[in-house]
Amino acid sequence: MIVNGLYEEHYAAVPIYTHDGTGLANKKAPEEYVSIKDHRSDDKNWEPLYMYPALLTEIINVGIELYNPKSTAHITHAHSIKYTLPVVHEELLRKESINALIELFTTWVQ
């Protein structure tokens, strides 16, 4: 999940999917997803799965495996999650990726 809003009793977050390694191959609305690229990847041929520039990680916590190259954030499917729910903090996106995600999310929720 990528947190995209903080509120008094909960936060809003969009889920990350690989769709069993198929990426967006079988999705009817690929425009609702944005690719995520792990900064630790050395894949020179990696490309975003759709027209949006990829979200790029900046810091990933110790013990977190390399993100699947087909990882995408479902920008139109935000979840409301209470702060009391236990979570594992995996990574931090680069500032420009955070801004891009907010812009994409705002476009979809208007």
Side-chain angles (χ1 to χ4, degrees):
M1 303 287 263
I2 300 174
V3 176
N4 61 351
L6 302 174
Y7 305 98
E8 186 71 27
E9 296 181 4
H10 73 280
Y11 60 92
V14 294
I16 298 172
Y17 297 114
T18 63
H19 299 104
D20 293 323
T22 64
L24 302 180
N26 301 314
K27 292 294 148 198
K28 292 180 182 173
E31 67 277 5
E32 295 183 8
Y33 297 84
V34 60
S35 295
I36 302 169
K37 184 169 191 320
D38 191 322
H39 73 279
R40 302 169 297 174
S41 171
D42 57 3
D43 183 353
K44 304 293 185 230
N45 297 318
W46 185 92
E47 292 185 16
L49 300 177
Y50 196 66
M51 65 181 188
Y52 308 125
L55 304 176
L56 303 173
T57 64
E58 183 171 60
I59 299 169
I60 297 189
N61 288 334
V62 174
I64 302 300
E65 293 181 18
L66 191 69
Y67 277 32
N68 186 305
K70 303 281 186 180
S71 295
T72 58
H74 194 173
I75 54 180
T76 62
H77 197 232
H79 295 265
S80 172
I81 303 167
K82 290 192 171 283
Y83 291 114
T84 55
L85 182 71
V87 297
V88 173
H89 296 275
E90 289 189 1
E91 48 89 10
L92 177 67
L93 294 175
R94 292 184 182 175
K95 181 69 172 169
E96 60 270 17
S97 290
I98 294 169
N99 293 338
L101 178 62
I102 291 168
E103 186 176 322
L104 284 170
F105 182 76
T106 303
T107 300
W108 278 100
V109 296
Q110 289 183 3

